[in-house]
Amino acid sequence: MASIPTALPTKIGEASIWKSRHVWLGSQNLAWNCRRLRWHFVIRSSNGNSSDSSKNPLVPVEKNLRESCQGSFGSLKATVHVLLPVVTSVRTRFCSKFAMMVYVTFAIFIIIARKIMLKRENHVNQGSIADLVRRGQLKSNRRGIAKTSLYDNPFNNAFVKIDEENSTAQMFGKVYRLAPTTLTKEQQLTHQERRAQAYQWKRPKVFLKEGDPIPPDVDPDLVRWIPPNHPFASTSSDINEESFKNNVYQKDGVPFRVRAEHEALQKKLEALQDEPKIKELAVNLKNPEEFEEPKLQQIELNETKKADEKIDKGLKSSNEKS
Amino acid sequence: MPSLVLPTAYFSTKLSHRHHSTIPSATHSRRPHLAGDPPRTVVITSGKGGVGKTTATANLSASLARLGFRVTSIDADAGLRNLDLLLGLENRIHYTASEVFSGECRLDQALVRDRRFNNLRLLCLSKPRSKLPLSFGSKTITYLVDALKTLEPLNPVQFILIDCPAGVDAGFVTAIAPADEAILVTTPDITALRDADRVAGLLECDGIKDIKIIVNRVRADLVRGEDMMSPLDVQEMLGLPLLGAIPEDAEVIRSTNRGSPLVLNDPPAPAGIAFEQAAWRLVEGDTMTAVALEEADRPAKKGFGWFSFFGL
């Protein structure tokens, strides 16, 4: 007898459903907060037999929608059809179609404006991990260059305004009270004396590896001991102080080590070329025949000649055996 | 507070700026008057790690360069260098000072020029996996700074900023060797302050008397609730003049990710402007004479509340 709700709309008109007040929403007034809205459908349904319907126009059967809905498709369809009366009710409540359109347009406008504002804010406040990716720290090595902001005075600009009369500073829309510093020169000197008494220190002049003997002309207080396994500092160096100084002050020309390496390689090459065997092995660039490739045809001819000779030898040996 | 002389004192930089003739630059139509004899060699140190030495160095360097001064930044943190990352120059470092020492390249080849500012250069002391040769003690970096000063006689460098490694180890001793003045970066907590006081003592023993402090990561809300020391408290504890007070700002992390110093942010960030103010004071040899302590109460705005929906 009781039909499934999917058959409902064919038999029951939208207006009749709404007017019968058997289809109702959880609250009589539509709540705009969807989280609180709990749909509780009670519907009127009838069986699909048309002959019965002519006799008995509608047999109201009230059933809970959740119980009656078995498939998800069915529930969806029912929900859609149930919502249609809601729309009609809204239409009836709002007298003017024009007003409704204005409201909808205004809502859309607000949503779009908010989206634009948020997008702009996100665009301005860059600095996320995506920037690290962009910088090549994570994946690629692409990196941008920031725009520079220009204003003349950091003490007086659009973001920082000072009210000298009230001793306040307005910074980024917030007003701060200014308090004067009270440090005097005498206080500074007192603190300096305190620290001078507390910290007796001489800057180390010499860095030595732990275990090395102290040179005779060096004050032991001026030695900084570097452990042999120090992660960042090393006391060993393959250059003397004079060449070290020259390297630092060199303004043009080939750097010392690059020149030294180049000269060493050149000497080595010259030494190798002096030996006779190396001379024989070395390619003479003046003679083009030496580095010309043999022609392919000649190679093929030689190969065919060799093959023919082999065949001839084979035939001769077979004849001799026979 | 009518008795306060602080507004004029606070803006002593601004007022002094009016008296000096300004030199127009390509980036700024106004810039501070350079005090002292250039080139000025400034070491940025702290003692404690993680207080913002490298961030301060990067931002001061960029700010000075934007003001039109010729700046060379040296990352003296041989083992744990990061200044190249903050300046966004990490992919362009092929030679370091270590190669200059050994004669593999010249000094001008080891200098990395910033593409944003032609007058900003970076020099790293050594590659991350190599060791810095300290055979000649403090002369190692003293020669280097001396050579930088005379590298270009026509366009001599005006500021050499040295990013010092944390601690008071060999790296610290090496980094402070060529410096004439020091900036002590600290956070308003007791651990950083104790280390800063020790480092200030060592610097003074070494003959560096011109020491200024930058108090980093100040939170006005905590200061107001007396949960954090104010920059004035820090100054009272250390007895050193204030160069700047930098507010805590999430933009610092973003700028690090971007590889662009905070002072170049557009629109500017509060911490970026504070760094710019510090750079301005550094140039003019000035110090802070008033501190923006806490947020003052002010009446709420009437109307336009609806626009808060857009975050305006």
Side-chain angles (χ1 to χ4, degrees), chain A residues 18 28-30 86-96:
Chain A
W18 188 256
Q28 287 201 349
N29 297 321
L30 286 172
V86 178
V87 176
T88 52
S89 76
V90 170
R91 279 178 185 169
T92 52
R93 287 188 184 188
F94 291 102
C95 305
S96 171

Side-chain angles (χ1 to χ4, degrees), chain A residues 106 110 113-114 117 124-129 131-132 134-135 137 141 143 145-157 159-160 162 164 167 170-183 188 191-192 194-195 199-201 203-205 207 224 226 228-237 239-241 244-245 247-253 255-258, chain B residues 1 4 6-7 11 13-14 27-29 66 79 85 88 90-91 100-106 116 131-139 143-144 146-147 150 168-170 173 177 197-198 200-202 204-206 232 235-241 254 256-260 264-270 273 276-277 280-281 288-296 298 309-310 312:
Chain A
F106 186 65
I110 287 174
R114 191 164 193 267
M117 294 294 289
V124 168
N125 296 329
Q126 284 180 348
S128 63
I129 298 298
D131 283 307
L132 289 178
R134 186 167 51 80
R135 289 173 59 198
Q137 291 297 314
N141 56 358
R143 189 166 48 74
I145 296 168
K147 282 195 298 179
T148 58
S149 62
L150 289 175
Y151 46 82
D152 287 335
N153 195 339
F155 298 98
N156 186 18
N157 56 63
F159 303 95
V160 180
I162 312 296
E164 296 184 13
S167 303
Q170 189 178 347
M171 292 189 276
F172 292 88
K174 289 182 179 177
V175 180
Y176 292 90
R177 184 174 62 81
L178 293 174
T181 56
T182 53
L183 187 73
Q188 283 188 49
H191 277 279
Q192 277 186 13
R194 172 183 63 79
R195 278 193 287 263
Y199 310 110
Q200 304 284 333
W201 186 70
R203 187 210 296 170
K205 302 284 182 188
F207 291 87
R224 189 87 191 181
I226 304 291
N229 62 343
H230 196 287
F232 315 132
S234 166
T235 53
S236 61
S237 180
I239 51 170
N240 59 12
E241 190 173 346
F244 175 88
K245 206 172 167 181
N247 292 339
V248 174
Y249 284 101
Q250 186 179 4
K251 287 183 183 174
D252 46 21
F256 163 73
R257 179 161 286 189
V258 176
Chain B
M1 290 183 290
L4 279 181
L6 69 101
F11 293 104
T13 52
K14 196 176 75 176
T27 50
H28 271 62
S29 59
R66 201 169 61 165
L85 280 171
E90 71 276 5
N91 293 332
V100 177
F101 296 151
S102 61
E104 288 173 46
C105 71
R106 295 190 312 269
R116 291 161 293 208
K131 288 187 176 186
L132 181 71
L134 294 175
S135 316
F136 314 113
S138 304
K139 290 176 191 169
Y143 287 149
L144 193 73
D146 196 37
T150 57
V168 288
D169 200 5
V173 175
D197 190 66
R198 287 175 182 170
L202 300 184
E204 283 164 357
C205 291
D206 195 45
L232 291 178
Q235 189 184 39
E236 193 182 332
M237 282 185 76
L238 295 176
L240 293 168
R254 293 199 185 99
T256 309
N257 289 344
R258 246 194 330 256
S260 169
L264 306 182
N265 264 25
D266 191 15
I273 285 194
E276 277 194 285
Q277 291 175 348
W280 195 286
R281 292 187 195 102
M288 289 180 85
T289 48
V291 178
L293 258 190
E294 59 188 33
E295 205 175 331
R298 66 172 184 171
F309 177 73
F310 295 105
L312 293 173

Side-chain angles (χ1 to χ4, degrees), chain B residues 10 17 19 34 43 55 64 68 71-72 77 91 105 107 136 139 151 179 216 237 246 253 258 261 270 298 307:
Chain B
Y10 182 73
H17 173 68
H19 298 299
L34 180 60
V43 64
T55 308
L64 291 171
V71 185
T72 300
D77 201 339
N91 293 332
C105 71
L107 180 57
F136 314 113
K139 290 176 191 169
L151 188 65
N216 198 13
M237 282 185 76
I246 316 298
I253 297 167
R258 246 194 330 256
R298 66 172 184 171
F307 284 99

Side-chain angles (χ1 to χ4, degrees), chain B residues 149-169:
Chain B
K149 288 176 182 176
T150 57
L151 188 65
E152 287 177 286
L154 294 176
N155 292 313
V157 66
Q158 290 167 302
F159 280 95
I160 297 172
L161 301 185
I162 304 169
D163 183 23
C164 182
V168 288
D169 200 5

Side-chain angles (χ1 to χ4, degrees), chain A residues 64-291:
Chain A
N64 195 333
L65 185 63
R66 285 184 185 175
E67 290 173 4
S68 58
C69 288
Q70 290 180 356
S72 59
F73 181 72
S75 65
L76 178 68
K77 202 172 177 183
T79 309
V80 169
H81 283 294
V82 163
L83 280 174
L84 288 170
V86 178
V87 176
T88 52
S89 76
V90 170
R91 279 178 185 169
T92 52
R93 287 188 184 188
F94 291 102
C95 305
S96 171
K97 212 175 202 176
F98 175 73
M100 190 175 166
M101 287 297 288
V102 167
Y103 291 141
V104 170
T105 312
F106 186 65
I108 291 167
F109 170 73
I110 287 174
I111 290 163
I112 291 168
R114 191 164 193 267
K115 286 280 179 192
I116 290 167
M117 294 294 289
L118 289 172
K119 197 175 179 181
R120 190 177 290 174
E121 195 177 346
N122 287 339
H123 182 70
V124 168
N125 296 329
Q126 284 180 348
S128 63
I129 298 298
D131 283 307
L132 289 178
V133 175
R134 186 167 51 80
R135 289 173 59 198
Q137 291 297 314
L138 296 178
K139 274 185 181 177
S140 66
N141 56 358
R142 288 173 55 222
R143 189 166 48 74
I145 296 168
K147 282 195 298 179
T148 58
S149 62
L150 289 175
Y151 46 82
D152 287 335
N153 195 339
F155 298 98
N156 186 18
N157 56 63
F159 303 95
V160 180
K161 293 283 178 194
I162 312 296
D163 189 354
E164 296 184 13
E165 291 176 0
N166 298 327
S167 303
T168 54
Q170 189 178 347
M171 292 189 276
F172 292 88
K174 289 182 179 177
V175 180
Y176 292 90
R177 184 174 62 81
L178 293 174
T181 56
T182 53
L183 187 73
T184 59
K185 288 282 177 193
E186 290 76 24
Q187 284 175 325
Q188 283 188 49
L189 287 171
T190 310
H191 277 279
Q192 277 186 13
E193 285 170 11
R194 172 183 63 79
R195 278 193 287 263
Q197 287 175 359
Y199 310 110
Q200 304 284 333
W201 186 70
K202 288 177 188 172
R203 187 210 296 170
K205 302 284 182 188
V206 180
F207 291 87
L208 291 175
K209 199 187 287 180
E210 276 180 357
D212 285 355
I214 301 171
D217 55 340
V218 172
D219 182 3
D221 289 343
L222 301 179
V223 174
R224 189 87 191 181
W225 297 102
I226 304 291
N229 62 343
H230 196 287
F232 315 132
S234 166
T235 53
S236 61
S237 180
D238 53 351
I239 51 170
N240 59 12
E241 190 173 346
E242 196 58 36
S243 57
F244 175 88
K245 206 172 167 181
N246 290 336
N247 292 339
V248 174
Y249 284 101
Q250 186 179 4
K251 287 183 183 174
D252 46 21
V254 183
F256 163 73
R257 179 161 286 189
V258 176
R259 193 174 62 242
E261 283 176 2
H262 179 74
E263 284 171 0
L265 277 171
Q266 208 167 8
K267 278 179 185 173
K268 199 173 181 182
L269 194 65
E270 282 172 6
L272 284 169
Q273 280 178 346
D274 285 345
E275 290 178 20
K277 286 179 184 177
I278 298 295
K279 264 191 176 177
E280 285 173 9
L281 287 171
V283 177
N284 187 7
L285 295 173
K286 287 175 183 173
N287 186 12
E289 290 176 1
E290 284 196 12
F291 53 89

Side-chain angles (χ1 to χ4, degrees), chain B residues 40-298:
Chain B
R40 287 168 60 184
T41 310
V42 186
V43 64
I44 291 129
T45 184
S46 71
K48 187 177 178 293
V51 294
K53 290 180 295 295
T54 310
T55 308
T57 311
N59 282 288
L60 289 176
S61 303
S63 198
L64 291 171
R66 201 169 61 165
L67 287 167
F69 296 103
R70 288 177 291 279
V71 185
T72 300
S73 301
I74 301 175
D75 193 345
D77 201 339
L80 304 167
R81 75 165 201 223
N82 285 316
L83 187 58
D84 53 334
L85 280 171
L86 266 70
L87 289 171
L89 300 172
E90 71 276 5
N91 293 332
R92 294 179 52 206
I93 295 169
H94 304 297
Y95 292 120
T96 62
S98 187
E99 278 85 51
V100 177
F101 296 151
S102 61
E104 288 173 46
C105 71
R106 295 190 312 269
L107 180 57
D108 60 308
Q109 291 173 319
L111 289 170
V112 182
R113 197 185 295 267
D114 195 312
R115 283 178 185 156
R116 291 161 293 208
F117 305 106
N118 281 332
N119 49 349
L120 174 59
R121 292 166 187 184
L122 171 70
L123 177 67
C124 293
L125 218 51
S126 68
K127 286 181 176 171
R129 290 177 193 85
S130 65
K131 288 187 176 186
L132 181 71
L134 294 175
S135 316
F136 314 113
S138 304
K139 290 176 191 169
T140 305
I141 196 165
T142 310
Y143 287 149
L144 193 73
V145 170
D146 196 37
L148 279 172
K149 288 176 182 176
T150 57
L151 188 65
E152 287 177 286
L154 294 176
N155 292 313
V157 66
Q158 290 167 302
F159 280 95
I160 297 172
L161 301 185
I162 304 169
D163 183 23
C164 182
V168 288
D169 200 5
F172 169 78
V173 175
T174 315
I176 65 165
D180 305 317
E181 48 191 296
I183 295 172
L184 204 57
V185 183
T186 181
T187 48
D189 58 84
I190 195 72
T191 52
L193 281 176
R194 183 193 271 179
D195 292 356
D197 190 66
R198 287 175 182 170
V199 166
L202 300 184
L203 291 169
E204 283 164 357
C205 291
D206 195 45
I208 302 171
K209 302 289 181 188
D210 189 357
I211 308 169
K212 297 184 183 77
I213 48 173
I214 285 181
V215 185
N216 198 13
R217 304 179 71 174
V218 179
R219 283 186 58 176
D221 55 337
L222 293 182
V223 171
R224 188 177 190 179
E226 296 200 340
D227 294 321
M228 180 181 269
M229 281 185 280
S230 75
L232 291 178
D233 297 328
V234 173
Q235 189 184 39
E236 193 182 332
M237 282 185 76
L238 295 176
L240 293 168
L242 273 168
L243 186 70
I246 316 298
E248 173 98 34
D249 198 338
E251 276 299 314
V252 175
I253 297 167
R254 293 199 185 99
S255 74
T256 309
N257 289 344
R258 246 194 330 256
S260 169
L262 199 59
V263 291
L264 306 182
N265 264 25
D266 191 15
I273 285 194
F275 272 122
E276 277 194 285
Q277 291 175 348
W280 195 286
R281 292 187 195 102
L282 176 69
V283 172
E284 296 205 327
D286 207 350
T287 54
M288 289 180 85
T289 48
V291 178
L293 258 190
E294 59 188 33
E295 205 175 331
D297 295 324
R298 66 172 184 171

